Amino acid sequence: MRYSIRVIEGDNKGEEYAIGIGDWIIGRSKNANIVLASSKVSAEHGAFFLKKSELFLRDLNSRNGIFVNGKKIIETKLSHGDAIVIGDFVFIVVQGVS
């Protein structure tokens, strides 16, 4: 399976990020794979990763947390259509065929 996340609210609205192999760091740091310019986002806020062809998201001890479908998470498996809130940004998970 192929996964991406699409920004539906926030400065990067409309952008879509394909998630590849390895940890995909999302945060304020310029070294992050997905950079979010917001004081509500930690430098390394979270990490997307693939395990057995499934997409997961882990909070990296961020200050403001990560919410998936309205619930604060530490680590969770993601599915197509899940809503992710990080700071001022809202993403939706998009699952496609490789």
Side-chain angles (χ1 to χ4, degrees), residues 24-36 43-46:
W24 281 69
I25 305 298
I26 186 166
R28 199 175 65 243
S29 168
K30 291 186 192 316
N31 295 326
N33 301 92
I34 301 169
V35 178
L36 303 177
E44 291 189 350
H45 203 99

Side-chain angles (χ1 to χ4, degrees), residues 12-32:
N12 307 29
K13 186 175 180 178
E15 289 189 32
E16 193 163 318
Y17 303 94
I19 306 299
I21 295 173
D23 282 357
W24 281 69
I25 305 298
I26 186 166
R28 199 175 65 243
S29 168
K30 291 186 192 316
N31 295 326

Side-chain angles (χ1 to χ4, degrees), residues 83-98:
I84 302 164
V85 177
I86 298 175
D88 298 325
F89 298 85
V90 180
F91 302 87
I92 193 162
V93 177
V94 180
Q95 179 180 340
V97 178
S98 325

Side-chain angles (χ1 to χ4, degrees), residues 28 36-42 63-64 88:
R28 199 175 65 243
L36 303 177
S38 170
S39 61
K40 294 181 181 177
V41 176
S42 298
R63 185 177 61 229
N64 294 318
D88 298 325

